[in-house]
Amino acid sequence: MGDRARTPTLTALLCLGLCRGPCDQVQAGAAPKPSIWADPGPMVSRGSPMTIWCQGSLQADVYHLYKDRVSKPLDTEAPQNSSKKAGFSIESMSTHTAGLYQCAYHSRRKGWSERSDPLLLVVTGVYPAPSLSAHPSHVVTSGGNVSLSCSSEVTGDTFYLLKEGGAGPPRQMQSRTFRGRWQAVFSVGPMNASHGGTYRCYYNSSSYPHTWSYPSNPLHLEVTGVYREPSLSAQPGSLVFSGDNLTLQCRSGAGFDRFALTKDEGLTSLQHLHGQHSPYFPLGHVSHTHGGQYRCYSGHNLSHAWSAPSDPLDILIVGMYEKPSISAQPGPSVSWGEKVILQCRSEISLDRFHLSKEGSPAAPQLLRLQDAAVPFQASFTIGPVTSNHEGNYTCYSSDSTFPYLLSLPSDTLELLVSAPSPQDYTVENLIRMGGAALILVVLGILLFQARDSPGRLEDAPRR
Protein backbone atom coordinates (compact mmCIF):
# COMPACT_ATOMS: atom_id res chain seq x y z
CA MET A 1 0.00 0.00 0.00
CA GLY A 2 1.29 3.52 -0.80
CA ASP A 3 1.62 6.19 1.81
CA ARG A 4 -1.21 8.65 1.18
CA ALA A 5 -2.28 11.70 3.12
CA ARG A 6 -5.05 11.24 5.59
CA THR A 7 -8.50 12.15 4.29
CA PRO A 8 -10.01 14.83 6.57
CA THR A 9 -13.58 13.61 6.12
CA LEU A 10 -12.88 10.06 7.14
CA THR A 11 -10.18 10.72 9.74
CA ALA A 12 -12.78 12.83 11.52
CA LEU A 13 -15.28 9.97 11.31
CA LEU A 14 -15.95 9.97 15.06
CA CYS A 15 -14.47 12.04 17.84
CA LEU A 16 -13.54 9.53 20.53
CA GLY A 17 -11.71 9.82 23.88
CA LEU A 18 -8.16 8.62 24.43
CA CYS A 19 -7.35 5.37 26.16
CA ARG A 20 -6.98 5.86 29.94
CA GLY A 21 -5.94 3.58 32.79
CA PRO A 22 -3.56 0.61 32.84
CA CYS A 23 -3.26 0.34 29.06
CA ASP A 24 -1.17 3.53 28.92
CA GLN A 25 2.08 3.02 30.79
CA VAL A 26 3.50 6.45 30.11
CA GLN A 27 6.25 8.01 32.19
CA ALA A 28 7.37 11.63 32.45
CA GLY A 29 9.59 12.62 29.52
CA ALA A 30 8.15 9.87 27.31
CA ALA A 31 8.41 10.01 23.53
CA PRO A 32 5.85 12.20 21.72
CA LYS A 33 2.46 10.70 20.85
CA PRO A 34 2.44 9.12 17.35
CA SER A 35 -0.11 9.79 14.63
CA ILE A 36 -2.28 7.12 13.04
CA TRP A 37 -4.26 6.93 9.78
CA ALA A 38 -5.73 4.42 7.35
CA ASP A 39 -4.92 3.95 3.67
CA PRO A 40 -7.10 4.28 1.59
CA GLY A 41 -9.29 5.50 4.45
CA PRO A 42 -11.09 4.40 7.61
CA MET A 43 -14.20 3.30 5.68
CA VAL A 44 -13.40 0.16 3.70
CA SER A 45 -15.70 -2.19 1.82
CA ARG A 46 -15.86 -5.78 3.03
CA GLY A 47 -13.16 -7.98 1.49
CA SER A 48 -10.89 -5.08 0.47
CA PRO A 49 -7.29 -4.70 1.69
CA MET A 50 -6.11 -1.69 3.66
CA THR A 51 -3.11 -0.52 5.70
CA ILE A 52 -2.95 1.23 9.05
CA TRP A 53 0.02 3.61 9.30
CA CYS A 54 1.66 4.70 12.55
CA GLN A 55 4.14 7.58 12.46
CA GLY A 56 6.40 8.31 15.43
CA SER A 57 10.09 9.16 15.68
CA LEU A 58 13.29 8.35 13.79
CA GLN A 59 14.58 6.83 17.05
CA ALA A 60 11.71 4.30 17.17
CA ASP A 61 12.82 0.67 17.02
CA VAL A 62 9.41 -1.02 17.21
CA TYR A 63 5.73 -0.13 16.74
CA HIS A 64 2.70 -1.74 18.42
CA LEU A 65 -0.89 -1.76 17.16
CA TYR A 66 -3.79 -2.01 19.64
CA LYS A 67 -7.45 -2.79 18.98
CA ASP A 68 -10.51 -1.88 21.04
CA ARG A 69 -8.44 -0.53 23.97
CA VAL A 70 -7.04 -3.99 24.84
CA SER A 71 -3.73 -3.69 26.70
CA LYS A 72 -2.05 -6.48 24.74
CA PRO A 73 -0.83 -5.38 21.28
CA LEU A 74 -2.61 -6.87 18.28
CA ASP A 75 0.45 -6.64 16.04
CA THR A 76 4.08 -5.51 16.08
CA GLU A 77 6.11 -4.01 13.24
CA ALA A 78 9.58 -2.54 12.77
CA PRO A 79 10.02 0.88 11.14
CA GLN A 80 10.06 0.90 7.32
CA ASN A 81 13.53 1.48 5.79
CA SER A 82 14.87 3.63 8.62
CA SER A 83 11.81 5.93 8.36
CA LYS A 84 9.73 7.10 11.29
CA LYS A 85 6.62 5.08 10.45
CA ALA A 86 5.39 1.51 10.22
CA GLY A 87 2.53 -0.08 8.27
CA PHE A 88 0.10 -2.74 9.56
CA SER A 89 -1.62 -4.52 6.66
CA ILE A 90 -5.12 -6.00 6.71
CA GLU A 91 -5.55 -8.26 3.70
CA SER A 92 -9.34 -8.43 3.79
CA MET A 93 -11.63 -6.16 5.78
CA SER A 94 -14.40 -7.94 7.65
CA THR A 95 -16.70 -7.45 10.60
CA HIS A 96 -13.90 -8.80 12.81
CA THR A 97 -11.28 -6.30 11.67
CA ALA A 98 -13.60 -3.30 12.06
CA GLY A 99 -13.20 -1.42 15.31
CA LEU A 100 -11.11 1.10 17.25
CA TYR A 101 -7.33 1.15 16.74
CA GLN A 102 -4.43 2.93 18.43
CA CYS A 103 -0.67 2.62 18.08
CA ALA A 104 2.48 3.35 20.10
CA TYR A 105 6.23 3.06 19.52
CA HIS A 106 9.35 2.35 21.59
CA SER A 107 12.75 4.02 21.47
CA ARG A 108 15.79 2.96 23.49
CA ARG A 109 16.32 6.51 24.60
CA LYS A 110 12.84 7.46 25.86
CA GLY A 111 11.02 4.15 26.18
CA TRP A 112 7.38 3.80 25.20
CA SER A 113 5.35 6.66 23.78
CA GLU A 114 1.79 7.28 24.80
CA ARG A 115 -0.84 5.83 22.50
CA SER A 116 -2.03 7.66 19.42
CA ASP A 117 -5.45 9.21 19.08
CA PRO A 118 -8.03 6.52 18.29
CA LEU A 119 -8.76 5.52 14.69
CA LEU A 120 -12.15 3.99 13.97
CA LEU A 121 -12.22 1.49 11.10
CA VAL A 122 -15.65 0.85 9.60
CA VAL A 123 -16.41 -2.01 7.24
CA THR A 124 -19.10 -1.31 4.64
CA GLY A 125 -21.10 -3.62 2.39
CA VAL A 126 -22.51 -5.84 5.14
CA TYR A 127 -26.20 -4.87 4.73
CA PRO A 128 -28.21 -4.02 1.58
CA ALA A 129 -27.81 -0.49 0.25
CA PRO A 130 -30.32 2.17 1.29
CA SER A 131 -31.80 4.68 -1.16
CA LEU A 132 -31.10 8.42 -1.09
CA SER A 133 -33.43 11.04 -2.57
CA ALA A 134 -33.75 14.83 -2.56
CA HIS A 135 -36.93 16.81 -1.92
CA PRO A 136 -38.16 18.84 -3.67
CA SER A 137 -35.30 18.50 -6.19
CA HIS A 138 -31.62 17.75 -6.76
CA VAL A 139 -31.29 21.27 -8.19
CA VAL A 140 -31.59 23.95 -5.52
CA THR A 141 -31.46 27.74 -5.77
CA SER A 142 -28.78 29.48 -3.72
CA GLY A 143 -30.30 30.39 -0.35
CA GLY A 144 -32.91 27.63 -0.55
CA ASN A 145 -33.20 24.40 1.43
CA VAL A 146 -33.40 20.74 0.49
CA SER A 147 -34.20 17.56 2.42
CA LEU A 148 -32.16 14.41 1.78
CA SER A 149 -34.07 11.27 2.71
CA CYS A 150 -32.15 8.03 3.38
CA SER A 151 -34.38 4.96 3.68
CA SER A 152 -34.11 1.19 3.84
CA GLU A 153 -36.38 -1.85 3.90
CA VAL A 154 -33.94 -3.48 6.34
CA THR A 155 -33.96 -2.40 9.96
CA GLY A 156 -31.38 0.31 10.51
CA ASP A 157 -30.89 2.02 13.86
CA THR A 158 -28.67 4.88 12.72
CA PHE A 159 -28.30 6.52 9.30
CA TYR A 160 -25.19 8.41 8.16
CA LEU A 161 -24.91 11.07 5.44
CA LEU A 162 -21.52 11.73 3.81
CA LYS A 163 -20.49 14.33 1.25
CA GLU A 164 -17.77 13.25 -1.16
CA GLY A 165 -14.60 15.27 -0.50
CA GLY A 166 -16.15 16.99 2.51
CA ALA A 167 -13.95 18.05 5.39
CA GLY A 168 -16.38 17.37 8.23
CA PRO A 169 -17.52 14.15 9.90
CA PRO A 170 -20.58 12.35 8.55
CA ARG A 171 -23.92 13.49 9.85
CA GLN A 172 -25.84 10.85 11.75
CA MET A 173 -29.48 10.49 12.74
CA GLN A 174 -31.61 7.89 14.48
CA SER A 175 -34.05 6.14 12.16
CA ARG A 176 -37.83 6.33 12.15
CA THR A 177 -40.35 4.08 10.44
CA PHE A 178 -42.46 5.51 7.63
CA ARG A 179 -44.75 3.42 5.41
CA GLY A 180 -42.96 0.21 6.31
CA ARG A 181 -39.45 1.57 5.75
CA TRP A 182 -36.76 2.83 8.11
CA GLN A 183 -35.58 6.30 7.22
CA ALA A 184 -33.85 9.50 8.34
CA VAL A 185 -34.32 12.93 6.76
CA PHE A 186 -31.34 15.32 6.72
CA SER A 187 -32.00 19.01 6.09
CA VAL A 188 -29.34 20.84 4.04
CA GLY A 189 -29.26 24.64 3.72
CA PRO A 190 -29.53 27.52 3.35
CA MET A 191 -27.68 26.49 0.21
CA ASN A 192 -24.47 28.05 -1.07
CA ALA A 193 -21.80 26.88 -3.52
CA SER A 194 -20.09 24.71 -0.87
CA HIS A 195 -23.20 22.53 -0.48
CA GLY A 196 -23.06 21.34 -4.09
CA GLY A 197 -21.53 17.92 -4.60
CA THR A 198 -22.07 14.17 -4.38
CA TYR A 199 -23.76 12.64 -1.34
CA ARG A 200 -24.20 9.04 -0.17
CA CYS A 201 -25.77 7.52 2.91
CA TYR A 202 -25.34 4.34 5.00
CA TYR A 203 -27.00 2.70 7.99
CA ASN A 204 -25.94 0.31 10.74
CA SER A 205 -27.27 -1.64 13.69
CA SER A 206 -26.67 -0.52 17.26
CA SER A 207 -25.52 -4.06 18.03
CA TYR A 208 -22.64 -3.74 15.53
CA PRO A 209 -21.87 -0.02 15.27
CA HIS A 210 -18.72 -0.48 13.14
CA THR A 211 -20.50 -2.63 10.54
CA TRP A 212 -22.28 -0.55 7.91
CA SER A 213 -24.43 -1.16 4.85
CA TYR A 214 -23.43 -0.76 1.23
CA PRO A 215 -23.47 2.90 0.19
CA SER A 216 -26.64 4.33 -1.30
CA ASN A 217 -26.87 5.51 -4.87
CA PRO A 218 -24.82 8.71 -5.36
CA LEU A 219 -26.94 11.86 -5.26
CA HIS A 220 -25.61 15.00 -6.97
CA LEU A 221 -26.79 18.29 -5.50
CA GLU A 222 -26.56 21.25 -7.90
CA VAL A 223 -26.73 24.85 -6.65
CA THR A 224 -28.03 27.50 -9.05
CA GLY A 225 -27.98 31.28 -8.78
CA VAL A 226 -24.31 31.47 -7.79
CA TYR A 227 -23.34 33.42 -10.93
CA ARG A 228 -25.06 35.92 -13.22
CA GLU A 229 -27.50 34.46 -15.75
CA PRO A 230 -26.44 33.78 -19.38
CA SER A 231 -28.59 34.44 -22.46
CA LEU A 232 -30.21 31.81 -24.69
CA SER A 233 -30.87 32.17 -28.42
CA ALA A 234 -32.08 29.95 -31.27
CA GLN A 235 -30.60 29.49 -34.74
CA PRO A 236 -32.22 30.07 -37.20
CA GLY A 237 -34.99 31.29 -34.86
CA SER A 238 -37.55 30.34 -32.23
CA LEU A 239 -40.23 29.74 -34.91
CA VAL A 240 -39.23 26.56 -36.73
CA PHE A 241 -41.00 24.18 -39.10
CA SER A 242 -41.32 20.55 -38.12
CA GLY A 243 -38.40 18.67 -39.69
CA ASP A 244 -36.02 21.66 -39.83
CA ASN A 245 -32.70 21.80 -37.97
CA LEU A 246 -32.48 23.86 -34.78
CA THR A 247 -29.54 24.80 -32.57
CA LEU A 248 -29.73 26.62 -29.24
CA GLN A 249 -26.78 28.70 -28.01
CA CYS A 250 -26.05 29.65 -24.40
CA ARG A 251 -23.99 32.86 -24.12
CA SER A 252 -22.24 33.80 -20.87
CA GLY A 253 -19.34 35.86 -19.59
CA ALA A 254 -15.71 34.91 -20.05
CA GLY A 255 -14.29 32.06 -17.98
CA PHE A 256 -17.30 29.71 -18.06
CA ASP A 257 -16.63 26.33 -19.64
CA ARG A 258 -19.68 24.28 -18.70
CA PHE A 259 -23.23 24.71 -19.95
CA ALA A 260 -26.55 23.04 -19.28
CA LEU A 261 -29.87 23.24 -21.12
CA THR A 262 -33.23 22.54 -19.50
CA LYS A 263 -36.75 22.25 -20.84
CA ASP A 264 -39.65 23.12 -18.55
CA GLU A 265 -41.88 20.15 -17.77
CA GLY A 266 -45.00 21.81 -16.42
CA LEU A 267 -45.24 21.73 -12.62
CA THR A 268 -42.42 19.18 -12.26
CA SER A 269 -39.35 20.53 -10.44
CA LEU A 270 -36.05 20.57 -12.27
CA GLN A 271 -34.27 17.36 -11.24
CA HIS A 272 -30.90 17.37 -13.01
CA LEU A 273 -28.44 19.63 -14.84
CA HIS A 274 -26.45 17.73 -17.45
CA GLY A 275 -23.42 19.88 -18.23
CA GLN A 276 -21.35 19.95 -21.41
CA HIS A 277 -18.31 21.96 -22.53
CA SER A 278 -19.88 23.43 -25.67
CA PRO A 279 -22.36 26.34 -25.44
CA TYR A 280 -24.14 24.98 -28.56
CA PHE A 281 -27.03 22.53 -28.21
CA PRO A 282 -28.02 21.02 -31.60
CA LEU A 283 -31.57 19.66 -31.41
CA GLY A 284 -31.39 18.19 -34.92
CA HIS A 285 -34.53 17.76 -37.01
CA VAL A 286 -37.26 19.01 -34.72
CA SER A 287 -40.66 17.45 -34.19
CA HIS A 288 -43.63 18.26 -31.99
CA THR A 289 -41.71 16.91 -28.96
CA HIS A 290 -39.17 19.76 -29.20
CA GLY A 291 -41.76 22.47 -28.66
CA GLY A 292 -41.51 24.05 -25.23
CA GLN A 293 -39.84 26.57 -22.99
CA TYR A 294 -36.06 26.32 -22.59
CA ARG A 295 -33.51 27.86 -20.22
CA CYS A 296 -29.75 27.49 -19.92
CA TYR A 297 -27.15 27.70 -17.16
CA SER A 298 -23.38 28.30 -17.14
CA GLY A 299 -20.78 27.04 -14.69
CA HIS A 300 -17.22 25.85 -14.24
CA ASN A 301 -15.78 22.40 -14.89
CA LEU A 302 -15.78 19.93 -11.96
CA SER A 303 -18.11 22.21 -9.99
CA HIS A 304 -21.68 21.77 -8.81
CA ALA A 305 -22.30 25.54 -8.66
CA TRP A 306 -24.25 27.13 -11.53
CA SER A 307 -25.46 30.52 -12.71
CA ALA A 308 -28.99 31.76 -12.40
CA PRO A 309 -31.17 30.52 -15.28
CA SER A 310 -31.34 32.49 -18.51
CA ASP A 311 -34.57 34.17 -19.50
CA PRO A 312 -36.98 31.56 -20.92
CA LEU A 313 -36.95 30.94 -24.67
CA ASP A 314 -40.12 29.55 -26.27
CA ILE A 315 -39.49 27.16 -29.17
CA LEU A 316 -42.60 27.06 -31.37
CA ILE A 317 -43.01 24.20 -33.84
CA VAL A 318 -44.84 25.30 -37.02
CA GLY A 319 -47.00 23.18 -39.30
CA MET A 320 -49.24 21.27 -36.90
CA TYR A 321 -52.62 22.68 -38.11
CA GLU A 322 -54.16 24.26 -41.21
CA LYS A 323 -53.12 27.84 -41.88
CA PRO A 324 -55.29 30.77 -40.70
CA SER A 325 -56.05 33.88 -42.74
CA ILE A 326 -54.84 37.43 -42.07
CA SER A 327 -56.43 40.75 -43.00
CA ALA A 328 -56.01 44.43 -42.17
CA GLN A 329 -58.73 46.84 -41.06
CA PRO A 330 -59.39 49.33 -42.57
CA GLY A 331 -56.72 48.17 -45.07
CA PRO A 332 -53.03 47.30 -45.55
CA SER A 333 -52.13 50.91 -46.50
CA VAL A 334 -52.11 53.19 -43.46
CA SER A 335 -51.35 56.87 -43.02
CA TRP A 336 -48.50 57.83 -40.75
CA GLY A 337 -49.79 58.23 -37.17
CA GLU A 338 -52.95 56.17 -37.64
CA LYS A 339 -53.82 52.80 -36.14
CA VAL A 340 -54.45 49.54 -37.96
CA ILE A 341 -56.01 46.25 -36.84
CA LEU A 342 -54.51 42.98 -38.12
CA GLN A 343 -57.06 40.20 -37.84
CA CYS A 344 -56.06 36.52 -37.68
CA ARG A 345 -58.85 33.99 -38.31
CA SER A 346 -58.90 30.18 -38.12
CA GLU A 347 -61.40 27.82 -39.70
CA ILE A 348 -60.87 25.23 -36.95
CA SER A 349 -61.42 25.52 -33.20
CA LEU A 350 -58.17 27.06 -31.91
CA ASP A 351 -57.98 29.60 -29.09
CA ARG A 352 -54.50 31.17 -29.38
CA PHE A 353 -53.19 33.44 -32.14
CA HIS A 354 -49.65 34.63 -32.82
CA LEU A 355 -48.56 37.60 -34.95
CA SER A 356 -45.04 37.73 -36.36
CA LYS A 357 -43.24 40.47 -38.32
CA GLU A 358 -40.62 39.38 -40.85
CA GLY A 359 -37.09 40.27 -39.75
CA SER A 360 -38.08 41.22 -36.20
CA PRO A 361 -35.96 39.65 -33.41
CA ALA A 362 -38.88 39.93 -31.00
CA ALA A 363 -41.03 36.91 -30.13
CA PRO A 364 -44.43 36.79 -31.85
CA GLN A 365 -47.26 38.68 -30.20
CA LEU A 366 -49.78 36.38 -28.55
CA LEU A 367 -53.53 36.79 -28.00
CA ARG A 368 -55.75 34.28 -26.23
CA LEU A 369 -59.46 34.01 -26.89
CA GLN A 370 -61.61 34.39 -23.79
CA ASP A 371 -64.61 32.91 -25.56
CA ALA A 372 -63.82 30.12 -28.00
CA ALA A 373 -66.96 30.64 -30.05
CA VAL A 374 -67.26 30.99 -33.82
CA PRO A 375 -65.62 32.87 -35.46
CA PHE A 376 -62.20 31.80 -34.14
CA GLN A 377 -60.25 35.01 -34.62
CA ALA A 378 -58.11 37.57 -32.78
CA SER A 379 -57.46 41.25 -33.51
CA PHE A 380 -54.01 42.79 -33.06
CA THR A 381 -54.03 46.61 -32.80
CA ILE A 382 -50.89 48.31 -34.14
CA GLY A 383 -50.13 52.00 -33.88
CA PRO A 384 -49.98 54.87 -34.02
CA VAL A 385 -47.88 53.63 -36.93
CA THR A 386 -44.55 54.97 -38.20
CA SER A 387 -42.23 53.76 -40.92
CA ASN A 388 -40.89 51.18 -38.43
CA HIS A 389 -44.19 49.32 -38.65
CA GLU A 390 -43.89 48.75 -42.39
CA GLY A 391 -43.18 45.19 -43.44
CA ASN A 392 -44.53 41.71 -43.97
CA TYR A 393 -46.74 40.11 -41.32
CA THR A 394 -47.92 36.53 -40.87
CA CYS A 395 -50.04 34.95 -38.18
CA TYR A 396 -50.43 31.49 -36.68
CA SER A 397 -53.03 29.73 -34.55
CA SER A 398 -52.60 27.16 -31.78
CA ASP A 399 -54.43 25.27 -29.04
CA SER A 400 -53.87 26.27 -25.40
CA THR A 401 -53.63 22.56 -24.54
CA PHE A 402 -50.48 22.35 -26.69
CA PRO A 403 -49.23 25.96 -26.59
CA TYR A 404 -45.92 25.36 -28.42
CA LEU A 405 -47.43 23.66 -31.48
CA LEU A 406 -48.49 26.18 -34.14
CA SER A 407 -50.41 26.01 -37.37
CA LEU A 408 -48.94 26.61 -40.80
CA PRO A 409 -48.28 30.34 -41.36
CA SER A 410 -50.98 32.47 -42.93
CA ASP A 411 -50.36 34.12 -46.25
CA THR A 412 -48.13 37.18 -45.95
CA LEU A 413 -49.72 40.59 -45.48
CA GLU A 414 -47.62 43.62 -46.47
CA LEU A 415 -48.33 46.69 -44.34
CA LEU A 416 -47.57 50.03 -46.04
CA VAL A 417 -47.24 53.30 -44.15
CA SER A 418 -47.59 56.51 -46.17
CA ALA A 419 -44.99 59.24 -45.60
CA PRO A 420 -45.94 61.96 -43.11
CA SER A 421 -47.16 65.27 -44.50
CA PRO A 422 -46.46 68.68 -42.86
CA GLN A 423 -49.89 68.72 -41.23
CA ASP A 424 -48.98 65.46 -39.41
CA TYR A 425 -46.59 67.50 -37.22
CA THR A 426 -49.36 69.53 -35.56
CA VAL A 427 -49.30 69.72 -31.76
CA GLU A 428 -52.61 67.84 -31.65
CA ASN A 429 -51.20 64.90 -33.66
CA LEU A 430 -47.95 64.76 -31.67
CA ILE A 431 -49.86 64.69 -28.39
CA ARG A 432 -52.17 61.97 -29.75
CA MET A 433 -49.21 59.87 -30.91
CA GLY A 434 -47.31 60.21 -27.66
CA GLY A 435 -43.64 60.56 -26.80
CA ALA A 436 -42.30 58.27 -29.55
CA ALA A 437 -43.47 60.58 -32.32
CA LEU A 438 -42.12 63.66 -30.53
CA ILE A 439 -38.69 62.02 -30.25
CA LEU A 440 -38.70 61.21 -34.00
CA VAL A 441 -39.50 64.82 -34.88
CA VAL A 442 -36.79 66.21 -32.57
CA LEU A 443 -34.25 63.77 -34.07
CA GLY A 444 -35.24 64.91 -37.56
CA ILE A 445 -34.69 68.55 -36.64
CA LEU A 446 -31.28 67.77 -35.10
CA LEU A 447 -30.18 65.81 -38.19
CA PHE A 448 -31.28 68.69 -40.43
CA GLN A 449 -29.28 71.16 -38.34
CA ALA A 450 -26.23 68.89 -38.27
CA ARG A 451 -26.32 68.59 -42.06
CA ASP A 452 -26.23 72.38 -42.44
CA SER A 453 -23.71 73.03 -39.65
CA PRO A 454 -20.49 72.57 -41.76
CA GLY A 455 -21.61 75.26 -44.23
CA ARG A 456 -22.26 77.76 -41.47
CA LEU A 457 -18.89 77.06 -39.92
CA GLU A 458 -17.13 77.69 -43.23
CA ASP A 459 -18.91 81.05 -43.54
CA ALA A 460 -17.88 82.13 -40.04
CA PRO A 461 -15.10 84.81 -39.97
CA ARG A 462 -11.64 83.51 -39.00
CA ARG A 463 -9.81 85.14 -36.07
Side-chain angles (χ1 to χ4, degrees):
M1 282 288 178
D3 177 15
R4 288 168 33 177
R6 287 163 285 178
T7 306
T9 299
L10 301 181
T11 303
L13 192 59
L14 288 176
C15 183
L16 301 170
L18 299 179
C19 178
R20 303 181 185 278
C23 62
D24 282 329
Q25 301 175 3
V26 180
Q27 300 176 356
K33 180 171 65 176
S35 57
I36 187 171
W37 70 95
D39 183 9
M43 291 180 62
V44 185
S45 58
R46 183 171 59 174
S48 297
M50 58 88 57
T51 301
I52 299 173
W53 289 96
C54 185
Q55 181 169 296
S57 166
L58 287 172
Q59 286 76 42
D61 51 42
V62 67
Y63 286 82
H64 282 178
L65 182 67
Y66 302 87
K67 184 175 185 290
D68 297 332
R69 303 186 187 276
V70 177
S71 58
K72 183 179 178 180
L74 176 70
D75 200 358
T76 301
E77 288 287 348
Q80 272 199 351
N81 301 325
S82 302
S83 68
K84 56 179 181 179
K85 65 185 178 186
F88 299 89
S89 296
I90 298 177
E91 293 183 359
S92 178
M93 277 294 290
S94 67
T95 56
H96 301 292
T97 55
L100 190 68
Y101 288 83
Q102 290 174 290
C103 71
Y105 65 93
H106 179 272
S107 67
R108 293 196 181 105
R109 191 173 167 189
K110 292 191 174 183
W112 283 101
S113 70
E114 63 177 303
R115 291 192 184 185
S116 67
D117 290 337
L119 170 69
L120 179 62
L121 288 189
V122 169
V123 59
T124 64
V126 178
Y127 310 115
S131 62
L132 182 61
S133 59
H135 305 278
S137 170
H138 297 211
V139 182
V140 191
T141 305
S142 178
N145 293 278
V146 64
S147 296
L148 303 186
S149 175
C150 187
S151 65
S152 170
E153 294 180 350
V154 177
T155 304
D157 294 320
T158 305
F159 285 86
Y160 300 86
L161 179 68
L162 283 79
K163 181 176 181 287
E164 190 174 285
R171 295 174 60 181
Q172 64 181 70
M173 185 176 291
Q174 296 301 307
S175 66
R176 296 181 179 180
T177 55
F178 180 72
R179 295 180 179 177
R181 293 177 66 91
W182 281 261
Q183 73 167 16
V185 179
F186 299 87
S187 179
V188 181
M191 299 290 287
N192 58 44
S194 67
H195 290 102
T198 302
Y199 291 78
R200 291 178 174 85
C201 72
Y202 301 78
Y203 64 90
N204 68 3
S205 167
S206 58
S207 303
Y208 304 97
H210 311 322
T211 301
W212 288 16
S213 68
Y214 280 97
S216 70
N217 52 293
L219 185 146
H220 307 290
L221 273 189
E222 313 282 353
V223 184
T224 64
V226 178
Y227 313 112
R228 185 176 179 180
E229 73 278 2
S231 63
L232 182 62
S233 60
Q235 299 296 332
S238 59
L239 273 170
V240 57
F241 278 86
S242 178
D244 285 356
N245 275 299
L246 179 66
T247 298
L248 303 186
Q249 182 181 3
C250 190
R251 292 186 176 93
S252 65
F256 291 94
D257 56 2
R258 197 159 171 248
F259 304 90
L261 181 70
T262 64
K263 182 184 177 187
D264 288 359
E265 301 292 346
L267 299 177
T268 305
S269 299
L270 177 62
Q271 292 298 318
H272 297 285
L273 286 177
H274 301 288
Q276 65 177 44
H277 292 298
S278 172
Y280 296 95
F281 295 87
L283 301 187
H285 298 286
V286 299
S287 67
H288 67 280
T289 60
H290 291 94
Q293 190 170 83
Y294 292 79
R295 290 176 172 87
C296 77
Y297 299 77
S298 56
H300 299 288
N301 194 28
L302 303 178
S303 171
H304 293 270
W306 293 89
S307 68
S310 66
D311 289 336
L313 174 66
D314 291 343
I315 297 300
L316 306 175
I317 308 300
V318 176
M320 298 293 110
Y321 311 105
E322 295 177 9
K323 70 179 182 179
S325 60
I326 188 171
S327 60
Q329 302 295 333
S333 296
V334 190
S335 298
W336 188 88
E338 298 296 331
K339 293 184 179 180
V340 64
I341 295 175
L342 300 186
Q343 195 170 78
C344 189
R345 179 170 182 161
S346 173
E347 296 300 324
I348 59 177
S349 177
L350 296 172
D351 58 1
R352 290 161 55 100
F353 293 87
H354 312 255
L355 180 67
S356 176
K357 182 175 183 287
E358 185 178 295
S360 172
Q365 294 184 52
L366 170 65
L367 285 179
R368 299 176 177 86
L369 296 185
Q370 299 300 321
D371 182 12
V374 178
F376 308 111
Q377 64 184 27
S379 299
F380 297 86
T381 301
I382 299 177
V385 298
T386 68
S387 58
N388 289 333
H389 292 98
E390 276 196 337
N392 294 324
Y393 290 81
T394 52
C395 75
Y396 306 81
S397 52
S398 66
D399 189 331
S400 56
T401 309
F402 306 101
Y404 303 105
L405 305 181
L406 272 57
S407 67
L408 289 166
S410 68
D411 293 336
T412 300
L413 183 145
E414 184 179 9
L415 186 65
L416 301 174
V417 179
S418 59
S421 59
Q423 57 266 30
D424 290 323
Y425 293 104
T426 63
V427 173
E428 181 182 351
N429 279 348
L430 291 177
I431 293 174
R432 178 168 54 85
M433 293 181 64
L438 183 58
I439 291 172
L440 289 173
V441 171
V442 172
L443 287 175
I445 294 172
L446 291 175
L447 289 172
F448 179 79
Q449 290 177 343
R451 184 185 64 185
D452 291 346
S453 293
R456 290 200 296 271
L457 288 174
E458 289 175 3
D459 295 339
R462 298 180 181 272
R463 296 186 179 180

